[in-house]
Amino acid sequence: MSLPSSSSPARPPAPKPREGYYSKSCILLQTTPTEAYGFFLNYIWKSGGDLSSFSPTPHLLNEGHPVTGLGCERVLPPFNTREEILETSSHPGKIVYRVVSPGWTKGYPVVKDSHRGEVTFDAFTQSDDDDGSSLMVSTKVEWKVSWEALRGGEGVVRFLTSSVVGRLMRNLVNYVEKKKEVVEKCVVEE
């Protein structure tokens, strides 16, 4: 004799987390990849890049390698989201990092170990004058982020990622322009 089947319907499988991707690039004029890497590591990563007046400087848990930043860990206020530099290659060509402590309570609702950020620094030359006789080296900085959002977090993650990365890239350009202007003024005044 068989048992009667349950009248309650089977629970549908939980939806899979949504994958996302965001990319932003900028050009740092008259800046070598080595300089651009240093500006990004020190101004954006270690100092917070002047994200906003409401966002204090990140707290560094580990400084990492003094030149490449490999192993550098930081905690970002206000939710104490922890990030770590996992890989640097062809210094000064690339920085790869991840969010170590994701989740709704950390302000960044992604699946653990799904977040990856990659920042690349590629040199190119362009003419500094009309006849092409004077070339200058500049750097294209590209920041790519991929993730799997937690259920219901797709819009939050996309908004936060695009807002923060976009703002930091603009701040990086402004910072480098000011630094270069100061260097040029110092050279002229000497």
Side-chain angles (χ1 to χ4, degrees), residues 22 24 26 28 39-40 43-45 47-52 55 58 74 76 83 97 141 143 160-176:
Y22 180 78
K24 184 81 173 172
C26 70
L28 300 178
F39 288 136
F40 180 87
Y43 173 65
I44 299 295
W45 186 267
S47 298
D50 295 321
L51 186 57
S52 78
S55 180
R74 67 183 187 166
L76 304 171
E83 294 180 326
Y97 70 97
V141 179
W143 193 337
L160 287 173
T161 303
S162 63
S163 298
V164 169
V165 170
R167 173 89 182 240
L168 288 175
M169 288 292 265
R170 284 189 302 276
N171 290 357
L172 178 63
V173 169
N174 292 335
Y175 178 80
V176 170

Side-chain angles (χ1 to χ4, degrees), residues 57-77:
T57 302
H59 171 69
L60 297 179
L61 298 176
N62 179 351
E63 290 273 343
H65 188 276
V67 175
T68 66
L70 182 63
C72 184
E73 290 182 70
R74 67 183 187 166
V75 175
L76 304 171

Side-chain angles (χ1 to χ4, degrees), residues 79-97:
F79 296 105
N80 294 324
T81 305
R82 201 170 112 219
E83 294 180 326
E84 153 187 51
I85 295 178
L86 298 173
E87 175 187 336
T88 56
S89 63
S90 303
H91 178 70
K94 178 170 68 171
I95 292 175
V96 177
Y97 70 97

